Amino acid sequence: MPRARLDAERARRIDEPFPGGESWRQAVERVAGFFDELPYAYDGRRVLIIGHVATRWALDHVVHGKALEELVDAPFEWREGWEYECG
């Protein structure tokens, strides 16, 4: 999908799935389920997670309690070395 269309549809797709895909909320919930498993598989260890924007939104939602509606509308600001500490 062209970036301009993605940007135009971003807020609408919070709960409405993309054609043939999932909504942002579904993607964030799926990724958040992975986070629930991390303490059991990697307790006390550092983990590198590579993903896309829904992965970052899931981290901000789960770890920092930010609303998905806030994250979808927030401007993207690159940071070197994104770190999150859970639990």
Side-chain angles (χ1 to χ4, degrees):
M1 163 183 303
R3 177 66 192 246
R5 181 175 169 200
L6 174 65
D7 289 343
E9 294 187 19
R10 181 173 283 151
R12 187 177 102 202
R13 299 297 182 173
I14 291 175
D15 290 302
E16 180 183 331
F18 284 92
E22 57 191 355
S23 68
W24 290 120
R25 191 171 316 277
Q26 290 169 321
V28 165
E29 289 173 1
R30 177 176 45 77
V31 173
F34 163 72
F35 299 152
D36 291 340
E37 298 173 16
L38 285 176
Y40 302 104
Y42 301 99
D43 188 32
R45 298 190 311 195
R46 179 175 274 190
V47 177
L48 172 67
I49 299 172
I50 300 171
H52 57 74
V53 70
T55 308
R56 182 173 52 89
W57 290 348
L59 282 161
D60 286 335
H61 179 69
V62 171
V63 175
H64 298 297
K66 293 186 179 180
L68 185 54
E69 292 78 5
E70 175 187 343
L71 296 168
V72 168
D73 288 334
F76 176 74
E77 295 179 23
W78 173 255
R79 295 186 317 226
E80 186 171 333
W82 300 66
E83 292 191 28
Y84 295 83
E85 189 170 328
C86 302

